[in-house]
Amino acid sequence: MFFDIGLPSLIAIAALFLAPLALQAQDIAYPPSAAIYNVVTDGGVDNTGKTDVTEKLQKILYDGTNATGRRLQVIYFPKGTYLVSGMLRMKLDTSRKDTSHSHGPWLVGENRSQTIIRLKDNIWPKAIYNLDVTDAKPETKIYEQVVLSTGDSTNTTFNKIIRNLTVNVGSGNHGAIGLMYNTSNTGYLGEVDIISEDGAGLAGLALAGVENGPGQIRNIHVKGFDIGLYNVADYVTASTGITLENARKVGLLNHGNTAGEDFTITMAGDGPAIHNTSRGQISLIGARLTAKATQHPAILTQGNAYLRDIRSQGFARAILAPNEKQHAPADAIVDEYYTGTPVGLFNNTKTALRLPIKPQPEVPYEPDFAKWTSPMEHGAVGDGKADDSQAVQKALNDPGKTHIVIPYGKRFRITQPLTLGPDVVRVLGTHGVMPFSIDDKASLTIGDGKASVVIIEGLTNCPPIYVRTARTVVLDSVRVKADMPEMPKAPEGQPKNLPPSKYFIVGYFLMGSGDVFINNTGASMIIDNPQQRVWMRHYNSELGQGAAIVPIEVKAGTLWVLGWKSENLVQRVRIHKQGTMEMTGYNNYEVSNRRQKDGDWPIFEIIDGRFSCNLLVQHGSQANRNLIWETRNGVKRALTIENNPGKRDFPLYTGYEPQTRGSSTN
């Protein structure tokens, strides 16, 4: 479905659609009780920009430990300029132990625009990488001439987080890549600027390395490179609020799997804003693309694509898909476009649900440390053995304390339900691998309180969370109860009469009437209130016990998801009559040496609910045979590999009554 309103009208609205929405840089400061590592006060690193600090910073990132000998997990950069003359690379621990195999670290800057890692001028004047902007094989091994790198690893590079800083490649560094980001399963890159001062860098952000993803990038501004964003991530990368400014050859070069929303790309040179190569998969909602007069299309796609709400100006056409038999649109405004054949078992409307999309709200960090507290200030022991339930509850309910920090290196045993106090605005974890020891009675309830928005972030092995409020709740990088008992192997075929509670733990019970925003998690969840609205970005699910376990149940309410990567051939979602879900960018991976076989269950099951999925891709040697079951008024139909035109994949599935499109509830 395409609309062309003409160039005069387009120019009239260009100011609205083509201007990027800049986020105000905020300060992030940790109280002393957080026990995080400060590179200036703890590491003696100069931040005046006058001294080369490459050697000191590299040692901290690669093998840094704190005073007790523990590996650094949160590495904090105060405001200032950190001058470097070579690459800063994180250490990768390749062991498979739960407590050590390449978890983290977090790199956190005090202020996005005032915390700057800057490369000296004229260090890397020539490129050594073949970052080809054609459909050639991508460069996957990038080790040198990168200012800041999480490293090159296998799919055990977990939970790499970089946020709230600037990487500046200086001038005279045409061979420089600003930042190479690699994470697996969990992790995100957020609120980061990547700048080439003379506009002549090679690539701003490279999602490269071996078996990169899944992960999330959000609120990224890249300015002045041949290639703004170079993506070779094998597994889906959820990308939100991406600004690629003054790219000379291509804005986004996608050799991998991108699920995106809210992109702004401006071209300084003669090339497409987006090139999705033959091995690329892209699902993109909302893009503002501008160039000077060029014969290139705004989007060149040779691989699978789902594209919606595309606004382009200055290109020869909006989309060119040379491998498609259908004519690609030349419209300046593209409502919806996809490669391949859309499917539906009842009402194939050939267009997605179009649920409302909301950005995650910002919650400022409290600069007054008198308003922070921690369980240690209320008598907690923090050794994982003593019962710290009462101390943690006192911290959560301390009058006037708006920010609760869970210190790094401590572990709190929880044996009873906890409730968030009315004054709390933020509960902040510091990336301890196992900050809680939890028994079956432990939980955390978020009810009504004074703040209109409350955020829980950076917690691993958190108690199950109950949301019972009309307030807005943000669950950012929260993993639930990772130290569960070992799960038994699934029997052959569909499990019979196995109670789900015996085999996995529900992480989030979302039963409120407000907005919930979820980032960077694999927690299972139940949504059960017609008024509950959930926006989730970057979900990784690897449960493998068959149809008896369904990680997400949408009993009532609305769920919108951007970027979901799964492993194991199991059922993932069940949507009931009062439930609604829209999925953008689903990536299922399975190899033959897995113990789980595809039984008689689908990936998605709709029982009189509403559902649409934009771009489902399966890769690996195995795939789910059953894709979707849909039941309407007692009639059940199945979409399988045998009756799906795209076999293992599809560009769009629609399962809803046409008259309900665009509304947020049934």
Side-chain angles (χ1 to χ4, degrees):
M1 185 181 297
F2 316 114
F3 297 100
D4 185 355
I5 63 173
L7 185 58
S9 298
L10 177 64
I11 293 174
I13 65 171
L16 294 176
F17 285 113
L18 300 177
L21 301 176
L23 291 175
Q24 184 176 1
Q26 66 168 326
D27 285 356
I28 296 178
Y30 292 86
S33 59
I36 57 92
Y37 187 89
N38 185 311
V39 298
V40 174
T41 59
D42 296 320
V45 177
D46 178 80
N47 63 342
T48 66
K50 298 178 181 179
T51 304
D52 188 334
V53 297
T54 309
E55 185 175 350
K56 278 190 174 182
L57 279 182
Q58 179 58 57
K59 185 173 179 57
I60 291 170
L61 294 185
Y62 196 78
D63 57 8
T65 57
N66 63 16
T68 65
R70 294 178 65 95
R71 280 275 295 148
L72 301 179
Q73 293 297 326
V74 179
I75 300 175
Y76 181 69
F77 289 72
K79 294 177 185 177
T81 298
Y82 301 85
L83 187 65
V84 298
S85 56
M87 179 171 62
L88 302 176
R89 182 185 180 194
M90 297 181 192
K91 183 177 183 178
L92 297 172
D93 186 339
T94 58
S95 73
R96 283 280 188 172
K97 296 179 181 179
D98 286 344
T99 58
S100 63
H101 66 294
S102 197
H103 285 274
W106 290 359
L107 302 188
V108 182
E110 183 177 1
N111 184 280
R112 173 177 182 165
S113 60
Q114 298 176 49
T115 302
I116 304 166
I117 298 173
R118 188 189 187 280
L119 181 66
K120 288 183 177 180
D121 294 341
N122 304 309
I123 296 294
W124 296 323
K126 295 182 180 180
I128 63 173
Y129 307 119
N130 180 28
L131 301 189
D132 202 321
V133 298
T134 69
D135 196 33
K137 182 180 179 180
E139 171 68 73
T140 58
K141 294 184 178 181
I142 294 177
Y143 298 103
E144 302 176 20
Q145 294 192 185
V146 179
V147 179
L148 178 61
S149 173
T150 54
D152 190 7
S153 180
T154 65
N155 58 355
T156 59
T157 311
F158 296 150
N159 210 26
K160 292 293 188 287
I161 293 177
I162 302 174
R163 62 175 308 203
N164 214 46
L165 51 78
T166 291
V167 176
N168 187 324
V169 306
S171 297
N173 289 309
H174 180 69
I177 295 172
L179 195 157
M180 198 215 85
Y181 180 69
N182 187 316
T183 196
S184 298
N185 294 4
T186 57
Y188 73 87
L189 174 72
E191 295 76 53
V192 169
D193 292 341
I194 306 172
I195 306 297
S196 171
E197 288 185 1
D198 60 0
L202 176 60
L205 172 60
L207 305 179
V210 179
E211 293 189 276
N212 200 350
Q216 181 185 27
I217 58 173
R218 66 195 199 207
N219 305 327
I220 304 299
H221 180 199
V222 178
K223 182 178 180 180
F225 293 85
D226 286 352
I227 303 168
L229 170 55
Y230 182 77
N231 184 17
V232 248
D234 286 328
Y235 309 112
V236 64
T237 303
S239 307
T240 299
I242 309 300
T243 299
L244 309 174
E245 183 180 353
N246 292 345
R248 289 196 306 277
K249 293 184 178 179
V250 60
L252 165 62
L253 180 57
N254 187 55
H255 286 296
N257 195 324
T258 294
E261 50 124 357
D262 186 22
F263 271 55
T264 300
I265 302 176
T266 59
M267 297 299 299
D270 188 25
I274 297 173
H275 182 184
N276 182 46
T277 68
S278 60
R279 71 185 299 273
Q281 317 281 345
I282 187 169
S283 47
L284 177 60
I285 301 175
R288 299 165 292 273
L289 313 174
T290 58
K292 300 175 182 178
T294 176
Q295 294 304 306
H296 289 277
I299 300 176
L300 171 63
T301 179
Q302 294 160 294
N304 293 330
Y306 174 88
L307 305 165
R308 191 167 90 209
D309 295 337
I310 308 299
R311 310 291 190 263
S312 66
Q313 183 178 14
F315 297 92
R317 61 191 307 124
I319 301 171
L320 177 61
N323 297 331
E324 285 293 294
K325 294 180 181 179
Q326 60 179 313
H327 181 67
D331 310 69
I333 296 182
V334 178
D335 181 56
E336 192 171 27
Y337 172 82
Y338 35 78
T339 56
T341 304
V343 289
L345 293 171
F346 288 87
N347 297 299
N348 187 1
T349 63
K350 299 183 180 181
T351 189
L353 267 171
R354 279 189 174 273
L355 295 182
I357 300 173
K358 280 191 177 182
Q360 177 176 306
E362 288 191 36
V363 180
Y365 288 75
E366 176 55 59
D368 182 0
F369 290 157
K371 295 181 180 180
W372 290 71
T373 190
S374 82
M376 302 303 293
E377 297 174 24
H378 295 272
V381 177
D383 63 357
K385 299 177 181 179
D387 189 342
D388 286 327
S389 302
Q390 291 299 320
V392 174
Q393 182 59 68
K394 288 178 181 179
L396 294 174
N397 206 36
D398 194 344
K401 305 296 185 181
T402 63
H403 281 53
I404 317 299
V405 65
I406 307 301
Y408 175 65
K410 301 297 182 180
R411 190 173 188 185
F412 304 100
R413 183 180 171 213
I414 309 298
T415 63
Q416 66 184 43
L418 304 174
T419 302
L420 203 69
D423 290 346
V424 176
V425 174
R426 170 181 267 110
V427 177
L428 177 64
T430 51
H431 195 50
V433 175
M434 297 292 181
F436 295 103
S437 176
I438 301 164
D439 74 4
D440 292 340
K441 296 180 181 179
S443 63
L444 174 62
T445 295
I446 303 173
D448 292 335
K450 297 177 182 178
S452 60
V453 181
V454 62
I455 180 169
I456 314 293
E457 66 174 313
L459 288 177
T460 302
N461 204 41
C462 182
I465 294 175
Y466 288 78
V467 174
R468 301 179 184 272
T469 180
R471 299 193 289 169
T472 295
V473 175
V474 179
L475 304 173
D476 196 341
S477 302
V478 177
R479 294 166 57 200
V480 175
K481 200 168 183 179
D483 60 349
M484 66 180 71
E486 185 173 350
M487 296 160 68
K489 292 183 179 180
E492 296 293 331
Q494 184 176 1
K496 302 292 185 182
N497 303 317
L498 301 180
S501 60
K502 182 178 179 180
Y503 293 95
F504 86 126
I505 296 162
V506 175
Y508 302 152
F509 295 85
L510 308 179
M511 299 175 288
S513 57
D515 295 346
V516 176
F517 296 87
I518 300 172
N519 280 318
N520 185 31
T521 190
S524 57
M525 67 191 71
I526 293 174
I527 304 170
D528 195 9
N529 186 325
Q531 294 179 288
Q532 187 80 89
R533 298 171 301 277
V534 182
W535 288 267
M536 181 162 67
R537 296 165 171 96
H538 176 34
Y539 186 71
N540 181 75
S541 175
E542 296 188 11
L543 291 174
Q545 298 301 311
I549 291 178
V550 181
I552 294 182
E553 289 261 6
V554 187
K555 293 185 175 180
T558 300
L559 171 63
W560 180 88
V561 183
L562 178 75
W564 183 340
K565 182 258 184 179
S566 292
E567 291 187 21
N568 300 316
L569 304 178
V570 301
Q571 187 168 0
R572 297 297 171 185
V573 176
R574 189 176 293 132
I575 306 158
H576 299 267
K577 186 173 183 178
Q578 290 186 292
T580 298
M581 177 180 174
E582 182 175 1
M583 172 78 236
T584 295
Y586 184 91
N587 178 201
N588 194 41
Y589 170 69
E590 184 58 38
V591 293
S592 58
N593 61 1
R594 295 277 178 180
R595 67 173 184 265
Q596 179 65 51
K597 294 184 178 181
D598 184 17
D600 189 19
W601 51 73
I603 301 175
F604 302 103
E605 183 175 10
I606 310 128
I607 306 171
D608 292 316
R610 297 192 309 155
F611 175 72
S612 70
C613 180
N614 318 325
L615 196 57
L616 177 143
V617 175
Q618 300 192 80
H619 73 282
S621 58
Q622 293 186 337
N624 276 90
R625 174 185 169 271
N626 284 275
L627 304 176
I628 294 175
W629 289 349
E630 185 172 349
T631 301
R632 297 281 168 198
N633 300 316
V635 178
K636 180 178 177 180
R637 298 175 183 172
L639 180 69
T640 67
I641 285 178
E642 289 79 10
N643 66 3
N644 175 35
K647 301 304 179 187
R648 292 161 47 122
D649 312 330
F650 55 73
L652 174 66
Y653 180 90
T654 57
Y656 62 92
E657 299 294 336
Q659 65 272 18
T660 65
R661 178 176 181 256
S663 60
S664 59
T665 64
N666 282 331

